[in-house]
Amino acid sequence: MVLLAAFATAFTACAPSSYEDRFAAYGTGIVEKKREVRAAEWQHQKIRGGDALGYANNHTFIVVKSDTTVHLSKFSQSQQVTKGEFNVQAKSGFDVGSVVAVSHDGYFLTAAHCVGDSPLTVVLFGSKMKPVTSKARVVWQGGPSGPDIALIHAPVKPFAYFPMVPMSEVKAGTPIFTSGMGGGKQSKSGGTILRVKQPRSQSSGAGWVEFSHDAPLLHGDSGGPVVDKDGFFMGLNSTGGIQYIPMIGNPLIRSYRSTAYCPDAEWIRSLIR
């Protein structure tokens, strides 16, 4: 997940990088606080008899590349809801993403940039609601000119998986919430779909629609799901961040803007078959 910073032109032309780092850190703090507020707006929403945010916990997991290790530091289970925090150790930066379970037999969607060419490991809550770690393989991933989407498989059975909506259900103005592993722990956010582009397809059968929303996201949320009020998977997060202008004292936050992709459900099912 990339933190986007939009500075005033005159400022960036003369400011040392230390100021940019300062404002980036400030922006991250603002995002973390805003995420808590946005997530709280969903805490009383019910999905399939349980709370919406707990529902998301049970369907969203973590993926790491070969040079990153993850250890579950905290784990709790109550009323069929899992909660976990992770210690992440990486040789070359914070290399963690989120994965979305879309089948009962170990198929997951994530962002293509979370996959790369490295061997992958997924950490999830298995069918008995216990932590499970497994190697994973890439089934399909978008290239440089394709969507930021990847389908991976691990020989595991997740506790739960998301039902997918048709691409036509992705509409501007729809309230959504998100789930992911931002900061190396289960995290939530909320917002609204802002803009939906025209669906696209490839001769290979791949189909998707790109859209934007205003749920604040952090590094590690890439690949996590965008979910509607009924618990349906509407897309996976690709990039996100904030735009702000430096002012005297503290920066002025202008907007939150994230990009997500909704893959064609029938295309994903055909890949799994």
Side-chain angles (χ1 to χ4, degrees):
M1 185 59 58
V2 180
L3 184 64
L4 307 176
F7 297 94
T9 303
F11 181 86
T12 54
C14 60
S17 59
S18 60
Y19 289 143
E20 296 182 10
D21 293 340
R22 172 194 165 197
F23 287 130
Y26 177 85
T28 299
I30 291 293
V31 170
E32 290 177 336
K33 293 178 180 178
K34 190 65 175 179
R35 284 159 57 89
E36 294 178 2
V37 173
R38 292 285 184 87
E41 295 172 357
W42 287 87
Q43 65 183 1
H44 299 300
Q45 175 72 32
K46 298 296 181 182
I47 296 178
R48 292 166 174 76
D51 70 276
L53 302 182
Y55 171 87
N57 278 4
N58 295 340
H59 295 70
T60 309
F61 310 110
I62 191 168
V63 62
V64 296
K65 296 181 182 179
S66 59
D67 63 350
T68 305
T69 58
V70 175
H71 301 285
L72 187 67
S73 58
K74 293 182 181 180
F75 172 73
S76 64
Q77 173 186 335
S78 61
Q79 297 179 343
Q80 297 296 294
V81 173
T82 57
K83 294 182 180 179
E85 293 186 10
F86 302 87
N87 289 326
V88 180
Q89 295 179 335
K91 296 179 181 179
S92 57
F94 187 72
D95 212 359
V96 172
S98 304
V99 293
V100 182
V102 292
S103 81
H104 71 282
D105 53 353
Y107 287 90
F108 304 88
L109 285 170
T110 187
H113 75 263
C114 292
V115 172
D117 298 322
S118 299
L120 301 173
T121 299
V122 293
V123 182
L124 68 148
F125 300 116
S127 56
K128 296 182 179 180
M129 294 191 75
K130 298 298 182 182
V132 177
T133 299
S134 175
K135 297 296 182 182
R137 64 182 177 89
V138 177
V139 177
W140 187 95
Q141 70 180 104
S145 61
D148 191 17
I149 298 172
L151 178 69
I152 67 175
H153 179 259
V156 293
K157 293 185 180 297
F159 173 72
Y161 65 94
F162 277 111
M164 301 176 66
V165 300
M167 294 187 296
S168 59
E169 294 295 315
V170 180
K171 299 177 181 179
T174 301
I176 53 91
F177 67 97
T178 71
S179 179
M181 294 296 170
K185 62 181 179 180
Q186 291 176 322
S187 57
K188 311 292 180 294
S189 188
T192 303
I193 293 179
L194 301 175
R195 181 171 178 258
V196 182
K197 294 186 177 181
Q198 290 296 318
R200 298 185 61 188
S201 61
Q202 295 178 339
S203 58
S204 62
W208 70 92
V209 62
E210 179 183 336
F211 63 96
S212 60
H213 62 78
D214 61 0
L217 303 178
L218 288 174
H219 190 133
D221 286 325
S222 291
V226 177
V227 189
D228 71 4
K229 63 181 180 61
D230 297 313
F232 284 89
F233 169 79
M234 302 199 76
L236 58 89
N237 286 307
S238 172
T239 59
I242 61 174
Q243 292 184 330
Y244 57 92
I245 298 176
M247 304 293 287
I248 297 176
N250 291 325
L252 172 66
I253 301 296
R254 292 182 59 192
S255 64
Y256 304 89
R257 181 64 61 93
S258 302
T259 300
Y261 292 88
C262 176
D264 176 56
E266 183 52 40
W267 165 53
I268 295 299
R269 285 191 285 265
S270 70
L271 288 175
I272 292 175
R273 288 194 298 267

